[in-house]
Amino acid sequence: MSRIAESTASDCVTEHHVADASLSSSPSDALAAVGDMDNCLDLDESFEDHSVLEDDHNDWMDVDPSEHNAVDDLLKVLRGHGHSDLPSTARTLLKTPREVKTTSKSGMEYVHFSIKDKLHQTLLRYPADQVPDYVDLSFNIEGLSLFKSSGKTMWPILCAIHLEPVSVFPITLTCGGAKPRNLEFLEDMVMDVNDLLSSGLQYRNQTIKFHILFFVCDAPAKAFVKNVKLCTGYYGCDQCVQRGEWYDKVTNQDTEVVARSDDSFRQQTQGEHHHGSTPLWICL
């Protein structure tokens, strides 16, 4: 209704100035009246431009704004309405670096991000009253094939903050022609997590403590980071110490068995189950 009222008012003013211009005996008065008419027309055009911008913005709001594609769409809308100073892509807007300095670990290209810095950046996205004094974390370690035409793989270490909504961010990224040669690529993450668990994080004048809920891995990745036999091996069971038997595949037939404990795992009491030690012992 306000939009209609404004348009009607401008029409009345325009008609008034047309009458004044036609009856005026002074050319300067006539030019002034025409100038006022132009101002009214500009006002109407601004209303129209505002309406189009609002419609375009509403269309963009239908897309998930967390995606870079949605930000790209919004930037196109804004640039199309006179904001030519804005970049055309989200990557330029966020100043995403085109090059990242890497080192070499476990036979892979390697980059590590401080977990405290990443946690602090991520927690700032939450309202202060939604961040408790005690926060649960989980981690994901898994190998990913990047291309079908090559054996190049990436082994990221991801951290999840279990607040509402859950946020996930990378801690370590490794990339190479095969899986890591050893578990050296876990060491920086383990040191960061151990420090985090012992000292917490200073956040908005409070110290937040953290607890690890679990690590998420597929079966090969779990065996790899734990440095143990794969579950298909004779001594591959994570739950008990029995030796498997072969019936077209390795199976565990016994139901009354000795359970594997945290202490027995750390002490490697069943040597056949282990390939060696793992850095994860420090933070588990």
Side-chain angles (χ1 to χ4, degrees), residues 69 119 140 151 169 211 247:
N69 290 341
L119 280 171
N140 170 249
F169 55 86
H211 171 253
Y247 292 95

mmCIF file of all heavy atoms in Angstrom, residues 69 119 140 151 169 211 247:
data_model
loop_
_atom_site.group_PDB
_atom_site.id
_atom_site.type_symbol
_atom_site.label_atom_id
_atom_site.label_comp_id
_atom_site.label_asym_id
_atom_site.label_seq_id
_atom_site.Cartn_x
_atom_site.Cartn_y
_atom_site.Cartn_z
ATOM 1 N N ASN A 69 28.306 -21.190 -4.444
ATOM 2 C CA ASN A 69 27.505 -20.885 -5.629
ATOM 3 C C ASN A 69 26.427 -19.858 -5.311
ATOM 4 O O ASN A 69 26.119 -18.989 -6.136
ATOM 5 C CB ASN A 69 26.853 -22.162 -6.174
ATOM 6 C CG ASN A 69 27.860 -23.102 -6.798
ATOM 7 O OD1 ASN A 69 28.960 -22.683 -7.151
ATOM 8 N ND2 ASN A 69 27.500 -24.357 -6.931
ATOM 9 N N LEU A 119 39.091 -23.869 15.737
ATOM 10 C CA LEU A 119 37.972 -23.939 16.677
ATOM 11 C C LEU A 119 37.477 -22.541 17.037
ATOM 12 O O LEU A 119 36.269 -22.290 17.084
ATOM 13 C CB LEU A 119 38.391 -24.682 17.945
ATOM 14 C CG LEU A 119 38.414 -26.205 17.882
ATOM 15 C CD1 LEU A 119 39.069 -26.776 19.134
ATOM 16 C CD2 LEU A 119 37.006 -26.767 17.720
ATOM 17 N N ASN A 140 37.359 -37.338 11.714
ATOM 18 C CA ASN A 140 37.228 -38.249 10.584
ATOM 19 C C ASN A 140 38.565 -38.330 9.860
ATOM 20 O O ASN A 140 39.172 -37.303 9.539
ATOM 21 C CB ASN A 140 36.138 -37.770 9.627
ATOM 22 C CG ASN A 140 36.131 -38.540 8.309
ATOM 23 O OD1 ASN A 140 36.464 -37.996 7.273
ATOM 24 N ND2 ASN A 140 35.778 -39.809 8.358
ATOM 25 N N GLY A 151 46.244 -42.530 -9.562
ATOM 26 C CA GLY A 151 46.177 -43.071 -8.210
ATOM 27 C C GLY A 151 46.344 -42.024 -7.129
ATOM 28 O O GLY A 151 46.519 -42.370 -5.958
ATOM 29 N N PHE A 169 35.401 -28.855 9.929
ATOM 30 C CA PHE A 169 36.492 -28.111 9.308
ATOM 31 C C PHE A 169 37.730 -29.006 9.236
ATOM 32 O O PHE A 169 37.876 -29.948 10.017
ATOM 33 C CB PHE A 169 36.804 -26.831 10.098
ATOM 34 C CG PHE A 169 37.110 -27.055 11.546
ATOM 35 C CD1 PHE A 169 38.395 -27.360 11.969
ATOM 36 C CD2 PHE A 169 36.105 -26.961 12.503
ATOM 37 C CE1 PHE A 169 38.679 -27.571 13.304
ATOM 38 C CE2 PHE A 169 36.376 -27.170 13.844
ATOM 39 C CZ PHE A 169 37.667 -27.474 14.245
ATOM 40 N N HIS A 211 35.901 -32.657 24.763
ATOM 41 C CA HIS A 211 35.879 -34.104 24.939
ATOM 42 C C HIS A 211 35.749 -34.756 23.566
ATOM 43 O O HIS A 211 34.964 -34.301 22.726
ATOM 44 C CB HIS A 211 34.697 -34.515 25.822
ATOM 45 C CG HIS A 211 34.481 -35.992 25.882
ATOM 46 N ND1 HIS A 211 33.436 -36.628 25.241
ATOM 47 C CD2 HIS A 211 35.201 -36.972 26.496
ATOM 48 C CE1 HIS A 211 33.510 -37.926 25.466
ATOM 49 N NE2 HIS A 211 34.562 -38.160 26.219
ATOM 50 N N TYR A 247 36.744 -70.295 6.631
ATOM 51 C CA TYR A 247 35.625 -70.990 6.009
ATOM 52 C C TYR A 247 35.219 -70.172 4.781
ATOM 53 O O TYR A 247 34.266 -69.385 4.824
ATOM 54 C CB TYR A 247 34.439 -71.122 6.978
ATOM 55 C CG TYR A 247 34.697 -72.037 8.141
ATOM 56 C CD1 TYR A 247 35.134 -71.526 9.363
ATOM 57 C CD2 TYR A 247 34.522 -73.418 8.024
ATOM 58 C CE1 TYR A 247 35.379 -72.358 10.438
ATOM 59 C CE2 TYR A 247 34.764 -74.261 9.106
ATOM 60 C CZ TYR A 247 35.194 -73.721 10.299
ATOM 61 O OH TYR A 247 35.440 -74.560 11.372
#
